[in-house]
Amino acid sequence: MFNKKNFLVTIIIIVAVLLVGGGVTWYKNCQEYVKRGLAKNTFPYTKYNQDELNSLYSQYPLENVATTQTPEQTYQKFREYLKNQDIDGALSLIFERYRAEYKKAFEKAKNEGKVLELYKALPETLQKVSCYDTICTYKIGNKDVEVEFVKNLQGVWLIESI
C-alpha cells in the first residue's frame, strides 16, 4: 500500500506548487511596489531606502519652484489695484484660502467709497522680516503692521494676510 516512490512524488509536487505559488506572490508584491514608485524596476526589485525616496520625491511641493513674482512685486501690484479701485485685481493677489474674507471687506469698502483710503493706508515700502522657501513676512513702512506672503505652485508670492 505505502509506496515510497508515490510519497516522494507527492512531496516534490507539493514543494514545487509552494515554490511557484510563493514566487508568483513575491513577484506580484514587488510589482505593486514598483508601480507605486517605492522599489526599483529591475530584478531583484529592492525597495528604496529613505534617502533614495527623499531624493526621488520632494517632501515639499514648493521646494524647488522658481519665483516668478516676488513679494515686493505682489505688494506693488496690490497697491496699484487698490489705487485704481480694481477689487477683483486686488483679490487675485490674495491667497485663495482667504480670498472670500477679503472679498467681503473690499466690497464693503467699495460700497462705502473707502477703497482709496485703503490704498493710502498702505505705504510704498516694505521691510523684510523673514523669508523661507514658501512663506515671507514683511513690515509695512515703519509701522508694526506685517504682511505675510505665501508662494504658490506657479512661483507667484500671494498675500496671506495684511
Side-chain angles (χ1 to χ4, degrees):
M1 288 259 165
F2 180 71
N3 187 345
K4 209 175 195 183
K5 185 178 178 183
N6 286 342
F7 179 72
L8 207 55
V9 169
T10 305
I11 295 295
I12 290 173
I13 290 173
I14 290 172
V15 168
V17 166
L18 288 174
L19 285 174
V20 169
V24 168
T25 302
W26 171 82
Y27 180 77
K28 285 183 177 183
N29 287 338
C30 288
Q31 290 308 304
E32 187 63 31
Y33 281 113
V34 169
K35 184 173 133 183
R36 292 182 181 179
L38 301 174
K40 297 175 183 167
N41 62 356
T42 56
F43 184 80
Y45 310 109
T46 55
K47 292 180 186 175
Y48 293 120
N49 63 35
Q50 193 61 48
D51 291 334
E52 291 171 320
L53 286 171
N54 288 341
S55 69
L56 288 171
Y57 307 107
S58 173
Q59 299 302 306
Y60 304 99
L62 296 171
E63 189 172 48
N64 296 316
V65 174
T67 295
T68 57
Q69 181 173 302
T70 66
E72 293 88 353
Q73 291 169 326
T74 298
Y75 181 73
Q76 292 307 321
K77 284 184 177 184
F78 183 74
R79 288 185 75 246
E80 192 65 32
Y81 285 135
L82 290 178
K83 181 181 178 183
N84 296 329
Q85 299 188 35
D86 182 358
I87 300 301
D88 292 330
L91 286 172
S92 71
L93 298 173
I94 302 290
F95 192 62
E96 190 172 338
R97 185 179 336 159
Y98 305 107
R99 215 170 271 164
E101 294 173 38
Y102 282 95
K103 184 175 183 171
K104 289 177 188 175
F106 288 159
E107 286 176 349
K108 182 180 177 188
K110 188 173 186 174
N111 291 338
E112 295 174 1
K114 296 184 177 182
V115 176
L116 285 176
E117 289 180 31
L118 290 174
Y119 163 74
K120 291 175 184 175
L122 297 174
E124 284 187 42
T125 59
L126 287 175
Q127 296 173 355
K128 189 185 295 187
V129 174
S130 63
C131 199
Y132 304 99
D133 286 338
T134 60
I135 189 165
C136 284
T137 304
Y138 285 78
K139 274 188 165 186
I140 299 177
N142 57 5
K143 299 180 180 183
D144 286 335
V145 178
E146 290 186 343
V147 183
E148 289 185 345
F149 295 89
V150 178
K151 190 192 305 185
N152 68 12
L153 289 171
Q154 290 74 38
V156 176
W157 287 88
L158 298 174
I159 297 170
E160 184 177 45
S161 67
I162 189 166

